[in-house]
Amino acid sequence: MRGIRSLTILLTVFVIVTLAACGPTTETSEEGSPEPEIKDLILSTTTSTQDSGLLDELIPIFEEQTGYLVKTIAVGTGKALEMASLGEADVLLVHAPEAEKEVEAAGDVINRKLVMHNDFILVGPANDPVGLQELETASEAFEALFENESGFVTRGDDSGTDKMEKGIWADLGLKPNGDWYIDAGSGMADTLKIASEKGAYTLTDRGTYLALRDTLDLEILFEGDPILLNIYHVMQVNPEKFEHINAEGAAAFVDFMVAAETQEIIGEFGVDKFGLPLFFPDAGKEDQYDL
Amino acid sequence: MDFIGQGFIKALQLLLSGDKEVYSIALLTIKVSGTATLISLILGVPMGLYFAVARFRGREFMVGAVNAGMGLPPTVVGLWVALFFWRRGPLGFLGLMYTPAAMVIAQTIIALPLVAGLTMSAVQQLSPKLRLQILALGASPLQFWWLILHEVRLGVLAAVMAGFGRVIAEVGASMAVGGNVRWYSRVLTTSIVLEVNKGNFSLALALSFILLFISYGVTYWLTVLQQRRRQV
Amino acid sequence: MTPLLAVKDIVVRRGRRFCLKIDEFCVRPQEVVALIGPNGAGKSTLLTTLACLTPPDSGTVFFGSEKVTKKNALTVRRKLAVVFQEPLLLDNTVLENTVLGLRLRGQKQGAEDKARIWLKRFGVDHLAGQNALTLSGGEAQRASLARAFALEPKVLLLDEPFASIDVISRTALIDEFKSVLESTGTTAVLVTHDFYEVQALASRTVVLDQGTIQAEGTPAEIAVHKTWGGLSKGVSATTITNRVDGSRL
């Protein structure tokens, strides 16, 4: 009957594990922090925001100040906005102003506020076969990429970056396709990796590029056009439209993101690692961008 | 090759230096997948025994469902469980979305058909006459099931290994219903995806080695249990 | 004398086909009944019906004067023992296998000793500690017989227990088995294809074909009368095969 005994041991161990797993998870509840009515706060954001590591710095501060447990769900911009439209999130931090305005107009989100920006850059092989470095505007740069057909990798994942890129092509009336236009269907890091391997160009946010620069054979070949700004807004999901929304927590998060101390942290983030900031705090500068 | 070596060394460093976050992620991984495996063991083994032996209306349908379920893609399970647990979903009031509990439920759904199916096939490999012989020895219904279970215990252990191996390695369902929330519902596979996205390939590689250590460790332990029996 | 085990008006169907249709059959104390007949005659079905393992579609099985029902089937089964053609030992030691039936009946004291006695009686006590699945066919069937006798059954039911054992060990085992049967006075029902077994062991022979009883008598009578078609047509001296439907041999 020793086999049965082994099974019994196995069961016992698993039972202990279960009990341990079902026990309270205390890791997140710091002592002394205030206890809000609804603890969970679902923050829907884009993968690129999470990947930058900025949230890992900001969220713990917010949690300690307010006592909320922030569940950061990092998805593509499209999905993040969809979560707001379905009432499946409490608060959003995204960077697709045009799409955001639509959701706001539909009454799904309220209290939308400008937080910060970083910018998009065009990167490519050091020898720059298309000659982007001599060009003045983003429109010229994209036209040159289209005519040269020397290789461009697109995210193809409906993310904010992807939407930005597709928007530029559309504004220029160009329909990129063919072997030179490579659809990665991946996140920014993988897309950069593919561009590096293939010696192709791609549009990227500065933060991800800086973080990966050492592993890539890519240089910054075009930057600085105002249309390449990546603008982040925070907004709360309309609690009057959906049930179960943590409105207080969402409002607190919006306030937190635009607070002076937070803005200072944002402005310094990345400086110690890359020598340059990854984000530029913008709270209160709504007029500047006409958004 | 250098890269892989570095990843391996980094994995050891993370484990030996007692990195708090890595340990909490690894621990949650074991808890979630272990619990899911346990629940599917408790539900799946009786199911497998029953489906293999009993004759009842709808049996073919159930057996077919179990066999098809063995190949269920985790992403699909994640999607379905998420649909149920969303705030507007039929079970939204439970507030389980983006919790480890939801991950356990999703992983249980992934492992259950595997445990039930492998148990069933282990029983079906026994001679049908053996069941008559066990009854003929004077077994009560309870004793009968116990003896059948004892007879297929090696197959059950194999089913447990397969189930645990599958859920600890899945990422789609954990991502969809757990949300990969730091310090809360982040497990090894979801953090590997995150680190790859961030471009931290060496950290991702290190985490993948830790995943392999755990998965191998548990499977090795189960194998020892399984094989020790054989020597009698 | 009340029969130990009996069936009355039983019908067993497989799908729409009759598999067994017997008005009356009984086993009396101390006798050894041989059930013979071609393959598919219903011998094994009758045996599992007698063993209360498969309930008949209609009709009654009696244990003594008691009707066997769903309720008391387990109690009755625990007074019987069955040995099949395959040893059907479980994945455990030989001793554990032999003692299992007693354990299932809740016996603790002396159960192992009893099992050892019977293993010794069948010459396999030296294998007691070994895993039963490692035994040779002959050894395993000896253990299987020991397991049955350890239960001291009121009726021992055997389904071709010697058929898969090689010829040389078979004769020896049949002789040992015979002496055990005689010394214990065990009542038995034996399904067989082998004339030698019938001659050596049976006190009564029952011929089954197509699910019904065709003839019955002492082994000698059955052999002489050749009531059963299969016996008359030049079948080899020791093996009765299914010549009736001409489907095999």
Side-chain angles (χ1 to χ4, degrees), chain A residues 11 15 18, chain B residues 37-47 112 115:
Chain A
L11 275 173
V15 166
T18 325
Chain B
T37 312
L38 172 68
I39 297 172
S40 36
L41 182 71
I42 292 170
L43 299 177
V45 169
M47 265 169 72
L112 182 64
V115 173

Side-chain angles (χ1 to χ4, degrees), chain A residues 3-4 6 10 14 18 21 42 50-51 56 70-73 83 86-90 189 212 242 244-245, chain B residues 34-35 38 86-88 97-99 146 150 153 157 179 181-182 184 186 194 196-199 222 225 229:
Chain A
I4 291 290
S6 321
L10 184 72
F14 269 125
T18 325
I42 297 179
Q50 188 181 44
D51 292 354
D56 287 342
V70 180
K71 293 182 172 177
T72 309
I73 309 302
M83 280 175 75
L86 291 171
E88 297 297 342
D90 299 311
L212 292 177
F242 306 102
H244 311 299
I245 300 293
Chain B
T35 310
L38 172 68
W86 268 342
R87 285 173 173 169
R88 327 176 122 189
M97 194 62 186
Y98 305 127
T99 61
W146 183 248
H150 185 260
R153 63 200 181 280
L157 277 174
V181 178
R182 197 178 182 199
Y184 182 71
R186 186 167 293 176
L194 176 68
V196 168
N197 282 342
K198 279 187 186 174
L222 289 170
L225 274 186
R229 253 313 285 139

Side-chain angles (χ1 to χ4, degrees), chain A residues 28-41 59-70 246 248-249 252 256:
Chain A
T28 44
S29 64
E30 288 96 46
E31 273 177 48
S33 51
E35 195 66 35
E37 208 173 316
I38 315 170
K39 213 165 173 292
D40 287 5
L41 180 68
I59 299 292
I61 301 171
F62 174 73
E63 286 179 339
E64 197 167 345
Q65 282 177 7
T66 60
Y68 288 105
L69 168 64
V70 180
N246 185 352
E248 279 177 35
F256 170 78

Side-chain angles (χ1 to χ4, degrees), chain A:
Chain A
M1 289 276 152
R2 211 199 292 166
I4 291 290
R5 215 174 296 143
S6 321
L7 271 181
T8 318
I9 296 170
L10 184 72
L11 275 173
T12 320
V13 170
F14 269 125
V15 166
I16 294 165
V17 170
T18 325
L19 291 178
C22 294
T25 35
T26 49
E27 286 142 41
T28 44
S29 64
E30 288 96 46
E31 273 177 48
S33 51
E35 195 66 35
E37 208 173 316
I38 315 170
K39 213 165 173 292
D40 287 5
L41 180 68
I42 297 179
L43 164 64
S44 177
T45 187
T46 60
T47 36
S48 60
T49 317
Q50 188 181 44
D51 292 354
S52 69
L54 176 63
L55 289 176
D56 287 342
E57 199 153 324
L58 294 180
I59 299 292
I61 301 171
F62 174 73
E63 286 179 339
E64 197 167 345
Q65 282 177 7
T66 60
Y68 288 105
L69 168 64
V70 180
K71 293 182 172 177
T72 309
I73 309 302
V75 288
T77 305
K79 171 112 191 277
L81 291 168
E82 180 71 9
M83 280 175 75
S85 302
L86 291 171
E88 297 297 342
D90 299 311
V91 65
L92 265 70
L93 180 65
V94 286
H95 56 89
E98 294 301 320
E100 289 163 28
K101 276 194 244 177
E102 281 172 34
V103 181
E104 191 180 29
D108 294 334
V109 298
I110 55 169
N111 196 15
R112 176 166 168 265
K113 285 187 178 162
L114 178 63
V115 177
M116 60 190 182
H117 78 267
N118 62 0
D119 60 346
F120 289 106
I121 49 179
L122 280 167
V123 296
N127 62 351
D128 190 14
V130 180
L132 292 188
Q133 274 162 312
E134 281 98 61
L135 301 173
E136 295 293 320
T137 67
S139 305
E140 287 170 17
F142 274 79
E143 269 165 2
L145 287 167
F146 186 83
E147 275 155 26
N148 274 273
E149 299 195 354
S150 74
F152 187 91
V153 185
T154 177
R155 293 271 296 263
D157 62 350
D158 203 29
S159 60
T161 315
D162 195 44
K163 283 189 165 150
M164 158 79 74
E165 180 216 314
K166 299 275 155 62
I168 295 172
W169 295 120
D171 289 346
L172 293 171
L174 300 174
K175 290 200 179 80
N177 59 36
D179 289 346
W180 66 276
Y181 190 67
I182 303 155
D183 191 334
S186 313
M188 197 68 252
D190 283 330
T191 304
L192 282 167
K193 202 90 189 154
I194 294 168
S196 175
E197 304 274 332
K198 296 205 177 268
Y201 290 82
T202 192
L203 181 72
T204 172
D205 64 280
R206 190 181 292 269
T208 312
Y209 170 74
L210 286 180
L212 292 177
R213 190 169 45 180
D214 293 344
T215 66
L216 302 169
D217 293 324
L218 296 171
E219 300 296 329
I220 301 176
L221 300 174
F222 185 87
E223 60 185 325
D225 189 314
I227 74 160
L228 291 183
L229 289 187
N230 196 12
I231 298 157
Y232 288 80
H233 282 79
V234 65
M235 64 212 80
Q236 65 181 109
V237 176
N238 189 352
E240 278 162 28
K241 197 165 177 186
F242 306 102
E243 281 180 80
H244 311 299
I245 300 293
N246 185 352
E248 279 177 35
F253 188 78
V254 171
D255 291 345
F256 170 78
M257 286 305 286
V258 298
E261 303 86 54
T262 315
Q263 290 282 305
E264 199 174 316
I265 297 169
I266 292 171
E268 280 160 16
F269 180 73
V271 174
D272 53 347
K273 211 171 165 188
F274 309 113
L276 294 164
L278 295 183
F279 296 95
F280 305 92
D282 288 329
K285 296 185 200 161
E286 264 82 357
D287 302 339
Q288 196 175 322
Y289 301 111
D290 183 30
L291 294 165

